[in-house]
Amino acid sequence: MKTAKWIKQGLVYSPVDRNRWMSSHAQMPIVHRVIGGEKLEIIFTTRDQQNRSLPVSCEMDLKNPGKISNLTLDPFLTLGKPGCFDDAGVMPSCFIDYGGVRYLYYIGWNGASNVPFRNAIGLAVSEDGGKSYRKFSNGPLLDRSVESPYYVSTPFVRIENGTWKMWFMSGLDWHFSSEEKPRSFYNIRYAESKDGVRWQIFPEVALDFIHGHECAIARPWVSKNNGKYQMWFCSRWDFYSIGYAESIDGYRWIRKEFELGLSVSENGWDCKMVAYPYLYTHEEETFLFYNGNSFGQTGIGFAKLEGKLGE
């Protein structure tokens, strides 16, 4: 892909308009459904006064993206039972439709004794096109393992020829400093499944750091064009930015950040961070939804690709 040109379209939703329980953040945007041709239902995760994460939705009009409607007042998934992997947070990451069922893969998290959090990957399913969901189980599909000793998070799933493929964030370590909070380190791993529930994790890292100052790679979004896989993701060294990589097999990736063409703004809501990308194509136009400063504290925005994906 030659260097892309993205035209920023501005904010979709900022959590300054809080209802009776939403306290902060509009994190991890997902285009969930098209309504009436030009309206998109966006699901995202917000936080309550106790910093617990819960998913809600709103609608945006592509012709008037700064004005949202139908912001939900009640989360469509609830926290897990005390002691479960998702008793402090439920954060949808991606969904896939298969056999008349919508599979919503989400991040569940709870507190840990010596570090700020512990994440795992859960599943909710819908049999009415995403109007309502139920959790598949009280336990996670993927959790800490030999390959990911600290946590797993931000899954992206697609199906090809009967094989379910997942790219996900793999927790590697925590680094402690007397001057700041513990910093987590994570990269991207790959897994396959025959049913979307039981997963086999591949032994090698799929997408790794490119220099010694980088410490985090998260929220992969994968497409396939002309036999080539393309991945958008976010990475961090001094700040979070959105990266881009390509692969022939979907397992081993070559990073090509210089071809992305999207970075932080000079000022405003995304001047310090662009993170958690979600790519969406609507009527031959491609949009990239993402979060701005402070991991979504300033809200959700999007950019429009000039030209077509894969050019």
Side-chain angles (χ1 to χ4, degrees), residues 165-176:
K165 301 184 176 187
M166 178 192 289
W167 296 265
F168 64 96
M169 187 177 95
S170 170
L172 303 175
D173 201 358
W174 287 92
H175 284 197
F176 293 83

Side-chain angles (χ1 to χ4, degrees), residues 11 13-19 22-26 46 71 296-299:
L11 271 169
Y13 172 73
S14 175
V16 293
D17 297 321
R18 302 167 183 168
N19 66 28
M22 296 180 195
S23 180
S24 69
H25 288 75
T46 187
L71 176 66
Q297 195 167 31
T298 56

Side-chain angles (χ1 to χ4, degrees), residues 86-138:
D86 55 356
D87 67 1
V90 175
M91 304 177 65
S93 185
C94 74
F95 72 87
I96 192 164
D97 292 318
Y98 180 76
V101 178
R102 178 161 289 187
Y103 294 73
L104 182 70
Y105 293 89
Y106 70 90
I107 307 154
W109 73 272
N110 51 23
S113 57
N114 297 316
V115 294
F117 60 83
R118 175 189 171 188
N119 294 338
I121 294 172
L123 172 65
V125 295
S126 172
E127 296 176 339
D128 57 10
K131 296 178 182 178
S132 62
Y133 283 96
R134 60 176 176 82
K135 291 183 180 180
F136 177 80
S137 63
N138 288 328

Side-chain angles (χ1 to χ4, degrees), residues 207-258:
L207 191 71
D208 208 352
F209 309 132
I210 55 174
H211 54 70
H213 297 292
E214 193 171 28
C215 64
I217 309 174
R219 224 272 168 100
W221 198 103
V222 178
S223 67
K224 193 174 184 181
N225 284 290
N226 299 320
K228 179 175 60 180
Y229 292 90
Q230 299 173 298
M231 180 190 292
W232 288 260
F233 57 91
C234 57
S235 63
R236 181 179 71 191
W237 46 95
D238 293 331
F239 60 91
Y240 255 117
S241 61
I242 295 176
Y244 173 76
E246 294 180 352
S247 172
I248 298 301
D249 57 12
Y251 181 30
R252 289 168 284 265
W253 293 83
I254 298 173
R255 293 179 61 168
K256 297 186 174 183
E257 264 84 344
F258 63 91

Side-chain angles (χ1 to χ4, degrees), residues 21-303:
W21 68 270
M22 296 180 195
S23 180
S24 69
H25 288 75
Q27 202 168 357
M28 299 281 289
I30 298 172
V31 177
H32 189 236
R33 191 163 44 196
V34 179
I35 303 169
E38 292 295 331
K39 275 194 173 184
L40 304 180
E41 181 187 51
I42 309 294
I43 61 176
F44 60 92
T45 302
T46 187
R47 302 184 189 182
D48 66 10
Q49 289 82 357
Q50 296 173 262
N51 204 39
R52 299 178 301 184
S53 304
L54 290 161
V56 295
S57 67
C58 68
E59 294 176 12
M60 65 163 284
D61 191 327
L62 284 171
K63 295 181 179 179
N64 189 9
K67 184 177 181 181
I68 67 160
S69 59
N70 294 328
L71 176 66
T72 56
L73 299 180
D74 297 310
F76 61 86
L77 281 175
T78 59
L79 298 175
K81 297 178 181 179
C84 285
F85 77 104
D86 55 356
D87 67 1
V90 175
M91 304 177 65
S93 185
C94 74
F95 72 87
I96 192 164
D97 292 318
Y98 180 76
V101 178
R102 178 161 289 187
Y103 294 73
L104 182 70
Y105 293 89
Y106 70 90
I107 307 154
W109 73 272
N110 51 23
S113 57
N114 297 316
V115 294
F117 60 83
R118 175 189 171 188
N119 294 338
I121 294 172
L123 172 65
V125 295
S126 172
E127 296 176 339
D128 57 10
K131 296 178 182 178
S132 62
Y133 283 96
R134 60 176 176 82
K135 291 183 180 180
F136 177 80
S137 63
N138 288 328
L141 301 188
L142 268 72
D143 204 343
R144 295 184 294 190
S145 66
V146 172
E147 298 86 1
S148 304
Y150 291 90
Y151 52 82
V152 292
S153 188
T154 62
F156 181 87
V157 177
R158 59 182 290 137
I159 304 175
E160 293 182 25
N161 301 319
T163 298
W164 299 60
K165 301 184 176 187
M166 178 192 289
W167 296 265
F168 64 96
M169 187 177 95
S170 170
L172 303 175
D173 201 358
W174 287 92
H175 284 197
F176 293 83
S177 168
S178 59
E179 299 179 355
E180 59 182 21
K181 295 180 180 179
R183 172 173 284 196
S184 56
F185 284 66
Y186 40 88
N187 55 17
I188 302 297
R189 285 191 173 271
Y190 174 72
E192 289 187 355
S193 173
K194 293 299 182 184
D195 59 7
V197 175
R198 299 166 186 83
W199 294 88
Q200 178 184 358
I201 300 173
F202 279 43
E204 297 176 2
V205 173
L207 191 71
D208 208 352
F209 309 132
I210 55 174
H211 54 70
H213 297 292
E214 193 171 28
C215 64
I217 309 174
R219 224 272 168 100
W221 198 103
V222 178
S223 67
K224 193 174 184 181
N225 284 290
N226 299 320
K228 179 175 60 180
Y229 292 90
Q230 299 173 298
M231 180 190 292
W232 288 260
F233 57 91
C234 57
S235 63
R236 181 179 71 191
W237 46 95
D238 293 331
F239 60 91
Y240 255 117
S241 61
I242 295 176
Y244 173 76
E246 294 180 352
S247 172
I248 298 301
D249 57 12
Y251 181 30
R252 289 168 284 265
W253 293 83
I254 298 173
R255 293 179 61 168
K256 297 186 174 183
E257 264 84 344
F258 63 91
E259 295 184 357
L260 177 64
L262 179 70
S263 188
V264 295
S265 299
E266 292 185 2
N267 51 61
W269 73 280
D270 62 350
C271 66
K272 298 179 180 179
M273 178 184 294
V274 287
Y276 306 130
Y278 192 91
L279 205 73
Y280 182 73
T281 299
H282 178 72
E283 296 184 354
E284 299 187 354
E285 291 185 320
T286 299
F287 304 97
L288 188 69
F289 290 82
Y290 64 95
N291 283 129
N293 303 343
S294 300
F295 306 96
Q297 195 167 31
T298 56
I300 299 165
F302 75 119

